[in-house]
Amino acid sequence: MSNIKYSLLVRSPVIIAAVLFAICTARGQAAVDDSDIQSWNEVVVTAPISKSVDLYAAGTFWFGKNISRVQEARASLGLTFNLNPRLTFTPFVTAMKTRTFAGVLVPEYRINLRGVYKFPVKHFGLSHRSHYEYRFRTLGNTWRYAPSLTAD
């Protein structure tokens, strides 16, 4: 038996398992509801306090029901520490209210820590952003981590 045929026979179970896994875990996309016009609006303001510290403030509004009511509102305040040109940390707090399906606005508070490390790669740059947050919610407090890799 040639090396190519033997290689295919050995890899076949792995390929079949990978295809079956992809098919079984795939989920269909729900139909898009075009009857509701929504709008997300976010404003972020930073102001220098010193050479290495900036004030960070952000506000977000999500308007739903054909832009007739607020579905979610967030306000954040914190400090950005520029440790060097490539490394920054931003601890901040967020207060928010989210409308449930029953139409009730539910409060939530979050303590956040965001870190960004930028490193150059030839003619462009890459940024690794990590975001940790602790969420104070009526359904139970939780931790959340979100990494991100971005090309600049």
Side-chain angles (χ1 to χ4, degrees):
M1 191 179 293
S2 72
N3 285 341
I4 295 173
K5 289 181 183 178
Y6 179 73
S7 177
L8 286 176
L9 287 175
V10 170
R11 291 184 187 165
S12 294
V14 174
I15 293 170
I16 291 170
V19 170
L20 287 174
F21 178 77
I23 291 171
C24 292
T25 59
R27 295 183 179 148
Q29 183 176 359
V32 177
D33 181 13
D34 292 336
S35 64
D36 183 22
I37 299 172
Q38 299 182 9
S39 175
W40 282 88
N41 301 284
E42 181 175 26
V43 175
V44 176
V45 177
T46 57
I49 295 176
S50 70
K51 185 177 179 181
S52 61
V53 179
D54 296 337
L55 178 67
Y56 168 83
T60 304
F61 286 99
W62 168 27
F63 296 97
K65 287 271 192 185
N66 291 322
I67 314 177
S68 65
R69 73 175 183 185
V70 175
Q71 293 294 113
E72 183 175 286
R74 298 180 187 194
S76 300
L77 186 63
L79 297 172
T80 298
F81 297 96
N82 302 307
L83 301 180
N84 61 45
R86 294 187 179 156
L87 183 63
T88 61
F89 287 102
T90 307
F92 60 99
V93 294
T94 301
M96 60 188 291
K97 287 196 173 186
T98 305
R99 190 174 303 277
T100 64
F101 289 112
V104 178
L105 284 172
V106 177
E108 181 177 329
Y109 303 95
R110 298 178 180 182
I111 298 173
N112 303 273
L113 176 62
R114 182 180 300 151
V116 178
Y117 180 72
K118 298 177 182 178
F119 45 98
V121 178
K122 299 206 180 198
H123 300 292
F124 66 96
L126 290 175
S127 295
H128 173 70
R129 295 179 172 100
S130 291
H131 183 103
Y132 292 94
E133 71 180 9
Y134 186 72
R135 303 166 72 183
F136 298 95
R137 305 171 73 186
T138 55
L139 299 174
N141 301 340
T142 59
W143 282 97
R144 187 160 59 173
Y145 170 70
S148 171
L149 186 64
T150 307
D152 298 326

